[in-house]
Amino acid sequence: MSRIFWGYLAKDVFRLWRMLLFKYTEKSKKLSLLLFLIIPLSVAAQQSNTLKSKSDTVFTRVSGVIADAVSGQPLPFISIRFNGSDYGVNSDKMGQFTLSAPGSFTHITFSYVGYQSVTKVIKPGQSNKLQIRLHSSQTQLKEVSISSGKNKKYRNKGNPAVELIQQIIDHKPQNRMESSDYLQYDQYERIGLSFFNLSPKFINGRFFSKYKFMLDTTQKINGVKQTSLPVFFSEKLSQNYYRKDPSKSIQILNAQKQINIIKFVDTVGLDIYLNRLYGNNLDIYENNIFIITNQFLSPIANHAPDFYKFFITDTIQTAKGKLIAVSFTPRNKGDLLFEGKLLVTMDGRYAVEGCELNVNKQININFMRSLKIRLDFEQYPGGRYYLSKSDVKADFGITRNKGLGVFGERAVFYSNYKLNQPLAASFYQGKSLQTAANPNQSDTSYWLKHRTDTLNPQQAQIYTHINKLESMPSFKKLTWIASTFTGGYAAWGPVQIGPIGQFFSFNNQEGARFQVGGRTTPDFNKSIYLEGYAGYGTKDKQAKYDLSTYFSLNKTAPYRFPNDYFKISYLYDVDLPGQSFSINNSQAALSSFHTGKTDYWLYNKIFTVAYVKDFENHFSYNLSFRNWNQQAAGTLVYQLNDANSTIVHNLTTSEFDIALRYAPHEQILQGTQQRHTIYSKYPIFNLQINHGFEGVLNGSYSYTNIKANISKRFYFSQLGYSDVTLLGSLITGKVPFPLLNISPANQSIAYDPDAYNKMDYLEFVSDHYVGFNMTQSFNGFFLNKIPLIEHLKWREYLSFKVLYGGLRNENNPLYSKGLYQLPVGSNGGNSTYALGNTPYVETGAGIGNIFKIMRIDVIKRYNYLSHQGISPYGIKLSFSPDF
């Protein structure tokens, strides 16, 4: 292979030398001057378009525009070559090209990976104008191999393609824009989502007949023309600023326009999630690229040759110089790797001038049918290459090849780059994400003037169609039904009834529990929000309730970011000790089923006054006063360790609490009931301090409880990621066991990543502890390589949890008077113990992505096995569809 490569190179060097030698003779200088003067006059004076020099050398010239056959969008970086020659150029970012060369050429070919090549007949020795339409190729990129009669095993050693990739890797700092000290550029972003593979019965049915005007019959997906239904379209204009040292990135949103008919998915920040899904920052020069919520290894990562196979598949001669086309494919088809093609400059810089990234159908990503990424680069004066356009197309569906699907495209255009032109130092002290005044621009003329790309006819009609759709009463009713089931609340004017998932549940204390609740919306009042529920248990025959009033200072609902409100609430409900009201808050189906006996319960009366404040940098604090009265229930008894074993019917505490949270660079997806953090590499810090006041509103004890934890996701490229949490707590003061740290346990059959899954409820108490939790997800890295198993797309998980702490003598009822006796189990029930010098340890091994939604974990507990009712092994289930 190396002989072939160097043979081509030597041939091209000789040809270049010969041309240079001819060019600088005295005769050629005169000839060049005559050509410069005579050719324009000759073309204007003659009807024939024949191009000749004075020495009768024939030139063939072809110019025109190349566009996508379906969308009509101009196609940059298309390879154009005269057949049988080394003369070629690439189209510019507007799809325009001009190729002129000496010779009588009769055919010209247009090609690019991902598109079907087109060869056109042209008039030799004349000027030709062409309008070219290219069709997407439906074929996957095949592995290219070179052999000499026998199949040769692929090897990195001696492979000129790998040597070329190594040159690209070595020259990355020299070529990428982000290596400069300061950088500025403008950005135009467009995201669209459409449903496709719609059933003909559905399209032609009576129900959909009134909505047919929404259909787009021209969209081409994976090379096939599809009838699609646009549901989301967004445009944004931004300015970006980057400083290398100290590192700082600032993005200022100047204008945006968005329409969305899937508003029933009540998730504020959907565009943030879509950006992450379709590649928020596609930097091929980084070792890893985040897309489809996963981390893909770049084909030019520092260790890419260990995971990819590389092949030199073509050489292209352009006006700017030679380009080498390098194809690549994963060594293992199931890993999170791309396949595609790179175009690399051979000017000594070894820069990537264009690339296409695809994935094969064997990759271990759920619901994804195809993914195509195209990146185009242009050279900045001085040598560095900047990204001029990124285009990501992906479609998803429940099944791999048929049925309803979702097609999305995110196209970003970059322009007006400025290198090493720093602004004032104070500018870089600003927020990373900023928004200009009045960014919502609905004026059509504004976007015609400012967008750096043009919309095709179908895209241009989306705004008009959706505005018409949203005014239709039938569509409003349909949206109400969909939002009720997906968001969990049924809107009734300014009031929402729900959550509907909590209408019914079951546990052994209450029996069957029925609950109904609701809350007000901004339509009721933008500053005052009411929320509450009422529940009843058929077994304990007790009514429960929660009443809350929020006073919003920023006129934002308390379930939206950012919070800035006062809250007053009163709650009466049942709960498990140490579980932070998990039964009432989650109501997950699996949480209604438990292993072992669960007879320890509490009835709580809690009055709370709080102030909650979120800052845009995702630092937040919560100041609250809480008066908490708790009454033991079930087999749980509060009993003093005095001579008479006095029963305590009520325990009352009055606390002032401070909770601090900091999540730098956090991105969130806001649902109807809670926020969902979009996982990233940045840590999240939490600190909580609770101080109890004895004698205040019947408070019985004085104490301070300090808790802290740090959680972070570590990414390991092809080896997946680890979620790690460090936690600790310290209690000062003398308190009975209900006020100690009750280790979070889990006796339900559902797996809980934040609890100890083989620990019983109220099994351990402590007044100081440190803990370490880790879950490693390998994303199928090992299972993908096992024959037969690899086709199941299963994923491996390992977990490790350790808790180390203790109980001081002053808080241990065996050594100190005036405390409550620790519960003693009976009839198979669990007992309560002080966490000893031996750390609690449990590990787990799991297989996930079973049927794309289920995960099974086998948990092993290593110590304290002599405790009543304890078994060392257990099985936990969880259901969570994920990409």
Side-chain angles (χ1 to χ4, degrees):
M1 182 65 196
S2 59
R3 292 180 180 178
I4 296 174
F5 172 72
W6 292 113
Y8 274 120
L9 187 61
K11 182 179 179 181
D12 291 337
V13 170
F14 177 78
R15 183 184 293 111
L16 180 62
W17 173 82
R18 185 176 61 184
M19 291 175 64
L20 290 174
L21 183 63
F22 175 79
K23 179 179 178 181
Y24 286 100
T25 61
E26 186 64 21
K27 184 177 179 180
S28 67
K29 290 181 181 179
K30 297 177 180 178
L31 179 62
S32 300
L33 179 60
L34 289 173
L35 286 173
F36 180 77
L37 296 174
I38 294 174
I39 288 178
L41 297 175
S42 176
V43 171
Q46 300 180 28
Q47 294 295 323
S48 172
N49 285 331
T50 303
L51 301 178
K52 294 184 179 181
S53 68
K54 191 173 182 179
S55 59
D56 293 332
T57 300
V58 176
F59 277 78
T60 303
R61 184 175 185 271
V62 182
S63 61
V65 178
I66 310 171
D68 187 281
V70 177
S71 67
Q73 295 293 319
L75 295 178
F77 220 82
I78 299 299
S79 173
I80 304 136
R81 176 186 289 184
F82 285 134
N83 291 23
S85 78
D86 292 329
Y87 295 110
V89 295
N90 288 336
S91 58
D92 62 18
K93 64 182 180 180
M94 299 305 296
Q96 299 175 354
F97 71 94
T98 299
L99 175 58
S100 179
S104 297
F105 301 106
T106 59
H107 292 80
I108 187 172
T109 296
F110 303 84
S111 63
Y112 192 82
V113 62
Y115 283 88
Q116 298 176 13
S117 297
V118 171
T119 299
K120 292 289 186 180
V121 177
I122 56 176
K123 297 178 180 179
Q126 297 188 20
S127 180
N128 300 262
K129 280 190 173 295
L130 300 177
Q131 298 291 327
I132 303 299
R133 296 292 183 266
L134 295 186
H135 293 268
S136 297
S137 173
Q138 301 180 46
T139 59
Q140 291 285 332
L141 179 67
K142 292 184 173 63
E143 179 181 308
V144 179
S145 60
I146 297 176
S147 61
S148 56
K150 295 182 179 179
N151 291 329
K152 295 179 63 178
K153 183 178 180 180
Y154 176 87
R155 300 182 64 181
N156 283 343
K157 186 175 181 180
N159 185 343
V162 175
E163 295 172 3
L164 181 59
I165 291 297
Q166 190 58 53
Q167 290 283 7
I168 299 173
I169 295 171
D170 294 340
H171 286 77
K172 285 196 292 186
Q174 174 185 345
N175 291 312
R176 63 183 307 194
M177 280 294 191
E178 287 77 6
S179 295
S180 55
D181 293 329
Y182 294 89
L183 178 65
Q184 302 176 35
Y185 59 90
D186 295 337
Q187 176 178 320
Y188 165 69
E189 170 191 305
R190 182 174 67 237
I191 299 179
L193 285 181
S194 300
F195 292 148
F196 71 101
N197 272 351
L198 300 166
S199 166
K201 184 177 180 180
F202 171 77
I203 293 176
N204 299 317
R206 180 180 178 184
F207 169 79
F208 192 73
S209 60
K210 64 185 72 174
Y211 306 121
K212 277 192 172 182
F213 66 90
M214 288 292 300
L215 295 176
D216 180 0
T217 59
T218 65
Q219 193 167 35
K220 205 166 187 180
I221 301 173
N222 297 328
V224 179
K225 187 176 290 188
Q226 297 273 5
T227 297
S228 62
L229 175 64
V231 295
F232 178 89
F233 194 76
S234 170
E235 294 181 278
K236 290 183 180 180
L237 289 170
S238 305
Q239 289 178 300
N240 295 269
Y241 302 85
Y242 169 77
R243 182 182 64 189
K244 183 177 179 181
D245 188 24
S247 179
K248 184 63 178 287
S249 295
I250 295 176
Q251 184 178 69
I252 302 176
L253 176 64
N254 291 322
Q256 64 181 357
K257 187 177 183 180
Q258 176 181 302
I259 48 92
N260 177 15
I261 68 171
I262 52 174
K263 293 178 181 178
F264 56 83
V265 181
D266 187 8
T267 48
V268 176
L270 178 62
D271 56 339
I272 294 176
Y273 185 75
L274 291 176
N275 272 332
R276 181 68 177 271
L277 193 66
Y278 289 92
N280 187 39
N281 182 21
L282 294 176
D283 187 354
I284 196 172
Y285 285 100
E286 289 283 355
N287 284 332
N288 293 286
I289 300 172
F290 279 99
I291 195 168
I292 315 297
T293 71
N294 287 285
Q295 191 181 55
F296 285 73
L297 186 71
S298 169
I300 59 172
N302 294 342
H303 54 294
D306 296 331
F307 295 91
Y308 285 101
K309 296 179 181 180
F310 294 97
F311 308 91
I312 293 178
T313 53
D314 197 5
T315 58
I316 302 171
Q317 186 68 42
T318 71
K320 297 180 181 179
K322 178 181 287 187
L323 298 177
I324 300 294
V326 182
S327 299
F328 54 89
T329 186
R331 291 175 180 264
N332 185 280
K333 295 292 185 179
D335 291 344
L336 294 180
L337 298 167
F338 298 110
E339 61 181 19
K341 186 176 183 180
L342 300 171
L343 294 178
V344 185
T345 66
M346 295 301 293
D347 56 359
R349 300 189 68 92
Y350 299 97
V352 176
E353 195 164 315
C355 74
E356 182 166 309
L357 310 173
N358 306 316
V359 297
N360 64 81
K361 291 189 176 182
Q362 299 178 39
I363 197 169
N364 195 340
I365 295 182
N366 290 331
F367 314 115
M368 187 180 70
R369 293 170 173 168
S370 69
L371 169 67
K372 298 181 182 297
I373 303 172
R374 178 167 171 171
L375 305 177
D376 297 321
F377 296 83
E378 293 185 15
Q379 190 173 21
Y380 188 85
R384 297 186 188 276
Y385 282 78
Y386 64 85
L387 183 63
S388 60
K389 179 184 177 182
S390 70
D391 189 14
V392 182
K393 299 176 182 178
D395 67 278
F396 303 89
I398 300 298
T399 58
R400 174 62 70 177
N401 297 313
K402 60 183 180 180
L404 181 66
V406 178
F407 176 77
E409 180 179 10
R410 179 177 185 263
V412 185
F413 298 81
Y414 305 87
S415 60
N416 298 327
Y417 278 86
K418 297 179 181 178
L419 269 66
N420 296 323
Q421 298 183 23
L423 301 177
S426 57
F427 173 80
Y428 298 98
Q429 303 300 318
K431 296 181 295 185
S432 296
L433 296 176
Q434 302 179 26
T435 303
N438 302 317
N440 295 316
Q441 295 286 346
S442 59
D443 184 20
T444 302
S445 60
Y446 174 90
W447 290 98
L448 288 173
K449 179 180 179 181
H450 290 88
R451 67 165 65 97
T452 54
D453 186 48
T454 56
L455 302 182
N456 62 41
Q458 291 72 33
Q459 292 170 334
Q461 293 176 359
I462 289 179
Y463 292 114
T464 302
H465 286 172
I466 291 187
N467 287 334
K468 175 182 177 181
L469 180 71
E470 291 181 332
S471 64
M472 299 173 64
S474 60
F475 177 74
K476 293 179 180 178
K477 182 182 295 185
L478 180 65
T479 302
W480 182 89
I481 296 173
S483 64
T484 298
F485 285 97
T486 59
Y489 282 91
W492 196 270
V495 176
Q496 293 178 331
I497 307 300
I500 59 176
Q502 298 184 15
F503 284 172
F504 176 79
S505 62
F506 179 86
N507 60 72
N508 67 340
Q509 175 65 22
E510 299 177 280
R513 173 182 170 122
F514 299 90
Q515 178 178 306
V516 62
R519 66 187 183 188
T520 63
T521 69
D523 293 335
F524 175 82
N525 191 294
K526 287 183 170 55
S527 297
I528 300 176
Y529 295 86
L530 307 177
E531 184 176 10
Y533 66 79
Y536 182 80
T538 58
K539 183 178 178 181
D540 67 351
K541 302 187 185 303
Q542 292 286 323
K544 296 90 179 177
Y545 53 88
D546 180 21
L547 301 173
S548 299
T549 302
Y550 300 85
F551 301 92
S552 176
L553 303 182
N554 61 350
K555 299 184 183 301
T556 299
Y559 46 87
R560 298 298 192 206
F561 180 88
N563 291 153
D564 187 7
Y565 63 76
F566 286 97
K567 174 187 176 181
I568 300 177
S569 67
Y570 187 81
L571 174 144
Y572 174 64
D573 211 332
V574 67
D575 194 27
L576 292 167
Q579 298 308 112
S580 301
F581 307 100
S582 61
I583 293 296
N584 294 324
N585 288 340
S586 63
Q587 297 298 326
L590 291 177
S591 298
S592 295
F593 300 93
H594 293 77
T595 58
K597 203 165 185 180
T598 310
D599 282 338
Y600 291 162
W601 294 90
L602 293 176
Y603 284 93
N604 300 286
K605 297 178 180 178
I606 303 176
F607 172 75
T608 304
V609 177
Y611 174 64
V612 178
K613 173 69 173 179
D614 291 332
F615 294 90
E616 292 188 9
N617 64 352
H618 291 271
F619 171 78
S620 62
Y621 64 84
N622 183 335
L623 306 177
S624 63
F625 174 80
R626 181 175 67 168
N627 182 259
W628 178 14
N629 176 274
Q630 52 181 295
Q631 181 180 359
T635 60
L636 181 62
V637 177
Y638 289 171
Q639 194 171 27
L640 286 171
N641 62 348
D642 57 11
N644 298 322
S645 297
T646 305
I647 301 297
V648 178
H649 296 285
N650 293 278
L651 170 61
T652 302
T653 56
S654 295
E655 289 183 349
F656 179 75
D657 304 335
I658 302 175
L660 307 176
R661 182 180 184 273
Y662 180 47
H665 307 287
E666 181 185 36
Q667 291 183 324
I668 58 175
L669 191 64
Q670 300 187 69
T672 56
Q673 302 178 47
Q674 57 185 346
R675 305 173 190 172
H676 304 277
T677 296
I678 300 175
Y679 283 110
S680 69
K681 63 182 179 180
Y682 298 102
I684 298 177
F685 303 88
N686 286 281
L687 174 65
Q688 183 165 330
I689 303 174
N690 302 339
H691 182 75
F693 295 91
E694 184 178 1
V696 176
L697 297 180
N698 299 319
S700 303
Y701 295 92
S702 178
Y703 57 90
T704 301
N705 189 349
I706 303 173
K707 293 183 179 181
N709 69 69
I710 304 173
S711 59
K712 176 175 168 42
R713 173 165 287 188
F714 293 88
Y715 289 93
F716 301 108
S717 190
Q718 296 306 293
L719 289 176
Y721 59 85
S722 284
D723 288 324
V724 176
T725 301
L726 298 175
L727 58 155
S729 177
L730 173 65
I731 295 178
T732 63
K734 182 178 179 179
V735 292
F737 79 84
L739 302 181
L740 295 173
N741 290 315
I742 301 174
S743 301
N746 178 29
Q747 287 182 242
S748 76
I749 64 173
Y751 179 81
D752 187 343
D754 299 317
Y756 301 97
N757 289 281
K758 279 302 297 175
M759 184 184 293
D760 285 347
Y761 298 126
L762 196 53
E763 183 179 355
F764 288 102
V765 293
S766 63
D767 56 17
H768 61 280
Y769 69 81
V770 292
F772 175 80
N773 297 343
M774 184 189 76
T775 298
Q776 171 69 39
S777 172
F778 291 102
N779 278 337
F781 181 80
F782 298 106
L783 294 177
N784 287 342
K785 298 170 178 59
I786 301 176
L788 300 181
I789 297 293
E790 62 181 337
H791 299 293
L792 298 175
K793 301 294 189 294
W794 287 352
R795 300 170 186 172
E796 324 88 336
Y797 296 88
L798 293 177
S799 61
F800 174 76
K801 297 180 181 180
V802 57
L803 184 66
Y804 178 74
L807 187 63
R808 300 190 307 273
N809 286 343
E810 68 171 319
N811 288 321
N812 192 327
L814 298 178
Y815 303 99
S816 181
K817 294 296 182 181
L819 297 174
Y820 297 177
Q821 297 177 14
L822 297 181
V824 178
S826 61
N827 299 324
N830 56 300
S831 300
T832 300
Y833 305 88
L835 189 61
N837 292 327
T838 301
Y840 173 89
V841 178
E842 71 176 31
T843 61
I847 295 179
N849 207 39
I850 302 172
F851 306 119
K852 297 183 180 180
I853 61 172
M854 187 170 71
R855 172 176 161 184
I856 301 176
D857 285 83
V858 177
I859 310 296
K860 181 180 180 181
R861 172 170 167 167
Y862 288 87
N863 40 31
Y864 298 103
L865 300 179
S866 61
H867 289 184
Q868 185 174 342
I870 294 299
S871 62
Y873 290 95
I875 296 178
K876 302 289 182 178
L877 305 177
S878 55
F879 293 88
S880 178
D882 193 8
F883 289 109

